[in-house]
């Protein structure tokens, strides 16, 4: 009887583990290949909020430039003629992209929307009570 129970558990435990992994909800929020491409700035929506998280002021910025995430883990940005480059990291658990993780210039963005032709990411500057919603369109290739 004891042997039967042990054998049953040997078969049941892997099945339970597989099912719990399938139902964990930890699937990627998007296919990383969708984001690894050159994007062109469309606009930035800047929203200031108060201590009650109510938006008090908002406006649009229209920088000229691009944002490229490469599959080797590097990124490049050109905004109004100012270049910037570094490393990027994707966190599937919370659907965020972090630029320059681990250094003083580290910035984390939530991926709000991603399609074949557009990308929207946002970053909250909590101390200054500002949300930056950055909108991009897929860069046209010649």
């Amino acid at each position: 009887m004891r042997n039967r129970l042990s054998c049953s558990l040997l078969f049941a435990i892997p099945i339970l583990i597989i099912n719990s992994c399938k139902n964990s909800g930890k699937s990627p929020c998007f296919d990383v290949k969708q984001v690894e491409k050159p994007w062109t700035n469309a606009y930035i929506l800047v929203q200031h909020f108060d201590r009650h998280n109510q938006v008090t002021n908002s406006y649009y910025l229209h920088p000229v430039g691009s944002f490229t995430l490469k599959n080797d883990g590097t990124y490049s940005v050109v905004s109004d003629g100012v270049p910037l480059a570094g490393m990027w990291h994707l966190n599937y658990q919370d659907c965020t992209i972090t630029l320059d993780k681990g250094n003083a210039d580290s910035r984390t963005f939530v991926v709000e929307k991603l399609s074949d032709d557009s990308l929207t990411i946002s970053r909250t500057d909590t101390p200054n009570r500002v949300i930056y919603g950055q909108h991009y369109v897929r860069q046209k290739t010649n």
Side-chain angles (χ1 to χ4, degrees), residues 5-21:
L5 182 60
S6 296
C7 285
S8 308
L9 287 174
L10 279 175
F11 290 110
I13 289 174
I15 291 170
L16 291 172
I17 290 171
I18 289 168
N19 281 340
S20 68
C21 289

Side-chain angles (χ1 to χ4, degrees), residues 38-42 67 116-119 135-140:
W39 301 97
T40 299
N41 289 345
F67 178 45
D116 285 338
D117 60 356
S118 68
L119 169 67
H135 299 256
Y136 298 93
V137 294
R138 186 171 184 181
Q139 196 171 70
K140 297 189 184 348

Side-chain angles (χ1 to χ4, degrees), residues 107-110 112 121-125 130-134:
R107 286 131 6 256
T108 298
F109 298 87
V110 175
E112 302 286 348
I121 58 177
S122 69
R123 179 177 66 87
T124 302
D125 178 353
V130 180
I131 299 170
Y132 300 93
Q134 298 178 215

Side-chain angles (χ1 to χ4, degrees), residues 4-124:
R4 223 178 193 178
L5 182 60
S6 296
C7 285
S8 308
L9 287 174
L10 279 175
F11 290 110
I13 289 174
I15 291 170
L16 291 172
I17 290 171
I18 289 168
N19 281 340
S20 68
C21 289
K22 284 182 182 176
N23 298 327
S24 69
K26 297 270 182 178
S27 61
C29 53
F30 56 84
D31 180 1
V32 72
K33 290 186 183 342
Q34 279 185 284
V35 77
E36 292 174 338
K37 54 182 86 169
W39 301 97
T40 299
N41 289 345
Y43 63 91
I44 299 172
L45 174 59
V46 181
Q47 296 178 303
H48 296 266
F49 58 94
D50 63 18
R51 61 187 172 105
H52 304 292
N53 292 328
Q54 300 297 315
V55 174
T56 59
N57 185 26
S58 63
Y59 53 92
Y60 291 92
L61 299 175
H62 298 277
V64 174
S66 62
F67 178 45
T68 303
L69 296 167
K70 299 175 188 165
N71 63 7
D72 65 358
T74 61
Y75 77 89
S76 61
V77 173
V78 177
S79 184
D80 289 338
V82 179
L84 182 65
M87 301 297 292
W88 72 280
H89 170 78
L90 173 64
N91 184 349
Y92 283 116
Q93 281 73 27
D94 60 3
C95 206
T96 59
I97 294 173
T98 301
L99 304 182
D100 303 316
K101 184 176 183 174
N103 71 30
D105 292 332
S106 180
R107 286 131 6 256
T108 298
F109 298 87
V110 175
V111 177
E112 302 286 348
K113 179 185 170 203
L114 176 61
S115 68
D116 285 338
D117 60 356
S118 68
L119 169 67
T120 302
I121 58 177
S122 69
R123 179 177 66 87
T124 302

